[in-house]
Amino acid sequence: MEHVVPSRDEMKKKLTPEQYRVLFEHGTEPPGTGAYEHTKTPGMYRCAACGYELFSSDAKFDSGSGWPSFDRPAHAGAVATVVDSSAGMQRTEVRCPRCGGHLGHVFTDGPTETGTRYCINSCALKLDETVPPGTTE
Ligand code: FE
């Protein structure tokens, strides 16, 4: 199935101002304010902008950071990473590989066997409850 990435103008119409700010202006939602921080509902977390499959609910854990956290992507290549030197820190930014939307950051202090903690803005995600955990479309 071929997916067409919406234009920035289409994105702006489709997304809330907060979603657009986070995804396409490298924003961060205030910690503890996102819809999915404590969500346990099974499903697939898709990119809020383009619908790409990013994280399965079975990779989600409570990190206490104030943002939804995952220990691995939905599949190899489900997320893209780039070095982020903004805000006086050296971090690894996580982006949607399809539309390039900014999702959050990834750290190497994860509590599970992967050792990885993807710290993701809730508003950059859309939970699709029709996709069973651990599967992809
Ligand atoms: Fe996307």
Side-chain angles (χ1 to χ4, degrees):
M1 182 172 159
E2 194 166 329
H3 294 271
V4 178
V5 178
S7 71
R8 288 296 164 94
D9 277 352
E10 288 173 304
M11 297 279 200
K12 209 154 201 171
K13 281 182 209 144
K14 171 185 159 152
L15 299 170
T16 67
E18 172 77 344
Q19 286 179 309
Y20 191 87
R21 185 183 73 83
V22 167
L23 281 155
F24 298 111
E25 295 173 352
H26 203 263
T28 301
E29 69 190 9
T33 65
Y36 295 130
E37 183 187 356
H38 300 295
T39 303
K40 308 272 191 216
T41 310
M44 176 64 70
Y45 288 89
R46 296 179 179 275
C47 174
C50 77
Y52 193 72
E53 294 184 325
L54 301 169
F55 299 98
S56 181
S57 60
D58 60 3
K60 194 172 186 293
F61 65 95
D62 267 326
S63 65
S65 67
W67 293 281
S69 301
F70 303 88
D71 71 356
R72 61 192 182 279
H75 55 86
V79 296
T81 56
V82 287
V83 173
D84 175 9
S85 302
S86 69
M89 291 174 274
Q90 191 83 355
R91 293 177 294 173
T92 303
E93 180 191 349
V94 181
R95 289 185 189 172
C96 172
R98 182 192 282 162
C99 73
H102 169 75
L103 305 172
H105 292 88
V106 59
F107 302 93
T108 55
D109 59 1
T112 73
E113 69 280 359
T114 68
T116 305
R117 174 171 64 93
Y118 289 87
C119 186
I120 306 297
N121 290 285
S122 281
C123 73
L125 301 171
K126 178 88 179 77
L127 178 61
D128 179 353
E129 296 176 30
T130 70
V131 182
T135 66
T136 54
E137 68 185 3

